Amino acid sequence: MLTYNHTFSSFSVDELPKAWKFYQETLGLGVEESGDMGLSIRLKDNHRVFIYPKAEHQPATFTVLNFVVNDIDEVMKSMKQHGVQFEHYQNEHLPQDEQGVLRGLQENMGPDIAWFKDPAGNVLAIVQEK
């Protein structure tokens, strides 16, 4: 049986300085250096994500980090003002509106979700659950 003290997730980027600027300045998250190893992103409830450099980095093609928000439209508006661009996927099973939001709440089919990418191309999302 696995016993552990705490958990954290991690993913790679191609350039730490670009990641630092994006997560610290664009998203407004707490970013700490972890020596030469990478960056530690401090999230609520003492959770963290470790971001490490990888020379042959390949962006994740799936969502690596979801941020649950109260009002997806207000958060998107603020993020766009800080230069974040939202993804528009062509998927008939996951239709998005003109803003790039999958409106699951109004269809009673799950949360509202909007995807965006970090400078390394990793997919992130904001999610409104109710």
Side-chain angles (χ1 to χ4, degrees), residues 20-75:
W20 175 285
K21 184 174 181 173
F22 179 76
Y23 288 97
Q24 173 86 23
E25 296 178 14
T26 303
L27 297 185
L29 302 175
V31 179
E32 301 171 0
E33 287 187 35
S34 293
D36 292 337
M37 298 296 294
L39 304 173
S40 183
I41 308 298
R42 294 283 173 197
L43 304 170
K44 291 186 176 184
D45 301 326
N46 290 323
H47 290 94
R48 68 183 174 107
V49 174
F50 182 70
I51 298 175
Y52 58 93
K54 185 175 179 186
E56 62 279 353
H57 167 74
Q58 293 294 315
T61 58
F62 51 87
T63 308
V64 297
L65 186 58
N66 294 283
F67 297 92
V68 178
V69 300
N70 291 328
D71 186 331
I72 199 167
D73 296 303
E74 285 298 315
V75 172

Side-chain angles (χ1 to χ4, degrees), residues 91-126:
N91 184 328
E92 64 187 60
H93 302 291
L94 300 171
Q96 294 170 276
D97 66 13
E98 64 281 348
Q99 297 297 315
V101 179
L102 169 69
R103 300 282 179 183
L105 290 175
Q106 69 188 17
E107 300 295 326
N108 212 18
M109 300 277 298
D112 289 352
I113 307 170
W115 294 272
F116 60 101
K117 292 181 179 178
D118 74 2
N122 294 310
V123 180
L124 311 170
I126 53 174

